[in-house]
Amino acid sequence: MNQAPDLPAWAAIIVGLLTLLGAGFALVGSVGLVRLRTFYDRIHPPTLVSSLGMMLIVTASIVCFSVLRSRVSVHEILIAVLITSTTPVAFMLLARAALYRDRVESERDPPA
């Protein structure tokens, strides 16, 4: 039940390029998570760059399944909307928790 041979060459090239580009952006976000020093610097690359990578991969999936089924694929659009809406919320919750932790630690250990 492999439908990959049914995909036209132009669509396969587009899907391949979008997938590789999306994976590259996700890799950049992961490297940024490892390489940056402070927590506040580390939360930006995964939320921003990986979201762009996810959008490119979802676009590749939309192109692939829309060409194979000759209709717009709605499942991928739902995935993109849910991930795009939950990523900023998780970012804000992590940042607020870190700010609260820093504030509590600074009140507990006043500077000498």
Side-chain angles (χ1 to χ4, degrees):
M1 186 140 145
N2 188 3
Q3 295 178 344
D6 297 338
L7 195 63
W10 63 269
I13 292 171
I14 292 172
V15 168
L17 289 175
L18 286 171
T19 303
L20 287 175
L21 196 59
F25 276 111
L27 178 67
V28 168
S30 300
V31 169
L33 178 67
V34 173
R35 296 281 306 197
L36 295 175
R37 297 188 191 279
T38 67
F39 174 78
Y40 298 106
D41 292 337
R42 285 184 182 161
I43 56 177
H44 286 285
T47 55
L48 300 176
V49 179
S50 297
S51 295
L52 178 60
M54 178 272 312
M55 291 301 283
L56 290 170
I57 292 172
V58 166
T59 304
S61 180
I62 289 171
V63 169
C64 178
F65 290 114
S66 295
V67 168
L68 286 176
R69 294 188 222 151
S70 67
R71 63 183 170 93
V72 178
S73 185
V74 182
H75 297 97
E76 287 84 1
I77 296 171
L78 181 63
I79 290 169
V81 167
L82 290 175
I83 290 178
T84 304
S85 63
T86 57
T87 300
V89 172
F91 167 74
M92 288 175 49
L93 289 174
L94 284 171
R96 286 184 182 179
L99 286 171
Y100 177 76
R101 181 194 62 202
D102 291 345
R103 193 173 324 132
V104 167
E105 287 178 1
S106 68
E107 289 173 359
R108 188 173 35 181
D109 299 328

